[in-house]
Amino acid sequence: MSEHGIVHLVGAGPGDPGLATQRALDLIARADAVVHDRLVSPRLLDGARERAELIYVGKRPGEPSMPQDEINALLVERAGRGQRVVRLKGGDPFVFGRGGEEAEALTEAGVAFEVVPGVTAGVAAPAYAGIPVTHREQASAVAFVTAHEDPDKDESALDWAALAAFPGTLVFYMGVKRLEAVAASLIEHGRSAAEPAAVIERGTFAHQRTVTAPLGKLAKRAADEGIEPPAITLVGAVASLRERLAWFERAPLRGRTIAVTRARAQASGLAARLAELGAEVIEAPAIRIVPRIETEEVGEAVSRLVAGDYDIVCLTSPNGAELLYEAVALEDRDARAFAGTAIAAIGPATAASLLERGLHADIVPPRSIGESLAEELLEHGMRHKRVLIARARDARDVLPEALVNGGGEVDVVTLYETVGEQLDDVTIAAIAGADYVTFTSSSTVRYFCDAIGGPARFPAKARVVSIGPVTSEAVREAGLRVAVEAEQHDVDGLVEALLDDAAS
Ligand code: SAH
């Protein structure tokens, strides 16, 4: 057996990727192989290295899952090759996760292992439903129970009399389909049919649903609502606290599926904001930014900037601000290179990106579009002003043309290129169910349509949210309708407009 191979039995948490532990994220990022189950969020797997092998051992519809002894053998074999293996399981690996059996098999084979506990669904799903599993006045104990018995076990393996008499909250994992039998057994053994109870489906996921009813009516209510696995069933007085404490399901974008089409490197801010507001976010990066700063053209512009040749430098995107600074750094210069030059930023996001680099924008127009920046600059007078416009390839010519017409001497330099990105089948399938598709630039519109196979394939019920008029124009050119246009042309403005639309 190799000295270095190790298996980490890691809890992924119940669903919301934000509930994975720091240790879990660190180990996934360093793993050679990640062996994962069905209930693990794909977002966590995104954190694995490019060359890490992702091995799915859960159930697929209509197919059985990999037998436990095969999973054990796989873990032993991978560790034997000296790999760092992450065995990633939903919730906590030792709570109804068969982590114990895997640890035993590893011990037997002499393989080193480590356990990383996770947030278990039996606590997390109730918490997201507004139900504390213990409460100083209402529940001093909590029991985790499996409602789905090992089929080989005798039916009576669960002591229903003891469970019914348990002085506290009962939390059942699995067995939504056996809900009626569970409730009947508890009532038969003395639990009150009037006791508050709840079923929480897909707890902590954006589409979490909760049904509450007295124990005697819970099974029917859940069946009427079409509750499906995975779900947690909870029986206890604490279930009634949900009436006042149901925070998660009240989130303003709850139940809405929203596609974010901007480049992966920039998507996370917007995606996180939307998720925090309760939305199910589909990251569908239709574009990628390719820097082009190591060119002669850029080198020349930077030399002139450093020499103080320009009166004004214009940045038209946060990417531009970042890359111009990088281009300056390539010449072993820093923020002082901008000392004698006025800086104009097209909008607050670009200004913020500059500020991160210690540069304060002198000019930020009221509306974040080329026309508005041109107007603002022309007011300052452009005659004989030497201007550098640093921007993306194929950007619109409104700004340079207006400044030239105003008498300016304008250099335009290309800092980056925007290229299309393919979307995988899973993402494309998810997009079909989107309620909103957000566009943050005209290139996201064009490349998104390409990626889904043309505007005709645009998701039927999805409303288009556009960051501003230029993007909206591209949406209309694609033959689509703009449902929402942000008044303020940045991410904050876009989120605000989307919230307004969702509330109306
Ligand atoms: N180890 C896991 C449990 C695995 S057993 C943990 O600690 O959470 C699988 C059962 O867990 C499911 O049948 C369901 O009852 C419950 N479960 C897992 N994820 C869930 C979720 N997001 N919402 C509700 N129940 C969930």
Side-chain angles (χ1 to χ4, degrees):
M1 200 58 46
S2 156
E3 285 172 19
H4 303 297
I6 181 165
V7 176
H8 302 276
L9 299 169
V10 178
D16 178 346
L19 295 177
T21 62
Q22 187 63 51
R23 180 82 182 134
L25 298 179
D26 288 348
L27 289 170
I28 292 168
R30 282 159 50 201
D32 298 308
V34 180
V35 179
H36 63 101
D37 288 336
R38 185 165 56 100
L39 293 174
V40 167
S41 165
R43 288 262 292 280
L44 293 179
L45 301 175
D46 283 349
R49 291 186 294 187
E50 193 100 17
R51 62 169 192 278
E53 205 178 335
L54 306 180
I55 307 169
Y56 177 78
V57 295
K59 274 204 180 83
R60 289 190 202 280
E63 285 173 38
S65 48
M66 188 186 278
Q68 189 62 49
D69 51 358
E70 278 181 36
I71 298 177
N72 297 350
L74 174 73
L75 298 176
V76 169
E77 188 261 328
R78 290 307 172 117
R81 282 199 228 161
Q83 294 192 339
R84 301 176 62 94
V85 181
V86 164
R87 171 69 177 111
L88 193 59
K89 293 165 161 293
D92 181 278
F94 278 6
V95 179
F96 304 125
R98 306 190 75 165
E101 291 162 57
E102 289 173 12
E104 282 176 318
L106 294 168
T107 307
E108 216 159 277
V111 171
F113 71 91
E114 182 194 282
V115 182
V116 180
V119 176
T120 188
V123 174
Y128 272 47
I131 304 173
V133 292
T134 73
H135 187 278
R136 207 155 59 90
E137 278 143 29
Q138 299 184 13
S140 306
V142 54
F144 295 142
V145 188
T146 168
H148 173 79
E149 290 281 18
D150 185 334
D152 293 334
K153 258 197 233 170
D154 195 312
E155 264 305 323
S156 62
L158 278 178
D159 183 344
W160 288 103
L163 281 177
F166 182 74
T169 309
L170 296 173
V171 174
F172 291 93
Y173 289 67
M174 299 173 270
V176 202
K177 301 288 180 217
R178 299 191 56 229
L179 203 53
E180 187 153 7
V182 167
S185 299
L186 288 174
I187 293 167
E188 189 189 315
H189 288 91
R191 204 97 184 183
S192 162
E195 183 160 354
V199 183
I200 305 136
E201 178 194 72
R202 293 182 62 77
T204 80
F205 286 96
H207 285 93
Q208 168 177 316
R209 286 199 300 161
T210 306
V211 171
T212 46
L215 179 58
K217 296 197 171 127
L218 187 66
K220 172 151 185 353
R221 194 73 58 83
D224 288 349
E225 295 288 331
I227 294 288
E228 298 267 345
I232 286 289
T233 303
L234 179 143
V235 179
V238 287
S240 61
L241 288 168
R242 168 175 163 75
E243 271 168 44
R244 281 183 291 138
L245 305 184
W247 58 277
F248 180 66
E249 291 160 30
R250 281 193 209 122
L253 294 180
R254 201 192 118 64
R256 315 286 180 138
T257 301
I258 304 176
V260 171
T261 59
R262 61 192 334 207
R264 193 177 290 282
Q266 296 172 304
S268 56
L270 176 57
R273 289 274 298 283
L274 296 173
E276 223 157 69
L277 292 164
E280 164 109 45
V281 178
I282 306 167
E283 289 196 28
I287 60 168
R288 186 161 48 90
I289 304 298
V290 183
R292 290 275 178 257
I293 54 175
E294 286 175 58
T295 60
E296 221 170 279
E297 177 200 28
V298 173
E300 210 162 285
V302 168
S303 307
R304 289 195 61 187
L305 177 72
V306 171
D309 270 4
Y310 292 115
D311 299 304
I312 302 169
V313 55
C314 298
L315 278 320
T316 57
S317 68
N319 282 319
E322 184 185 327
L323 289 171
L324 181 60
Y325 196 89
E326 252 179 57
V328 167
L330 279 181
E331 303 290 322
D332 288 330
R333 299 295 183 136
D334 60 20
R336 287 168 291 182
F338 295 81
T341 311
I343 303 178
I346 197 156
T350 305
S353 175
L354 285 164
L355 205 52
E356 266 173 42
R357 291 156 180 91
L359 297 167
H360 173 79
D362 303 290
I363 299 162
V364 185
R367 295 190 309 133
S368 309
I369 53 173
E371 285 82 351
S372 187
L373 180 57
E375 216 171 277
E376 187 88 6
L377 286 167
L378 288 171
E379 255 174 44
H380 285 71
M382 271 295 113
R383 188 145 282 283
H384 305 309
K385 287 279 168 65
R386 289 156 308 172
V387 186
L388 174 65
I389 301 176
R391 62 175 207 182
R393 168 162 302 159
D394 300 328
R396 296 187 314 143
D397 285 325
V398 176
L399 180 62
E401 276 171 10
L403 300 187
V404 168
N405 289 341
E409 292 165 23
V410 179
D411 285 347
V412 176
V413 67
T414 298
L415 293 171
Y416 61 96
E417 208 174 329
T418 302
V419 300
E421 208 38 334
Q422 300 232 327
L423 297 176
D424 60 50
D425 293 347
V426 177
T427 306
I428 291 183
I431 287 166
D435 300 301
Y436 290 100
V437 176
T438 60
F439 291 119
T440 48
S441 66
S442 4
S443 48
T444 56
V445 179
R446 285 192 286 271
Y447 287 118
F448 179 79
C449 288
D450 285 352
I452 59 172
R457 299 257 174 87
F458 197 79
K461 66 167 184 203
R463 292 168 70 73
V464 171
V465 186
S466 152
I467 200 163
V470 181
T471 303
S472 297
E473 194 47 48
V475 171
R476 285 187 286 268
E477 264 167 34
L480 300 169
R481 202 177 75 80
V482 177
V484 185
E485 183 181 287
E487 256 170 55
Q488 190 188 311
H489 313 313
D490 55 21
V491 166
D492 286 342
L494 183 130
V495 171
E496 208 169 294
L498 210 161
L499 278 170
D500 276 351
D501 189 73
S504 65

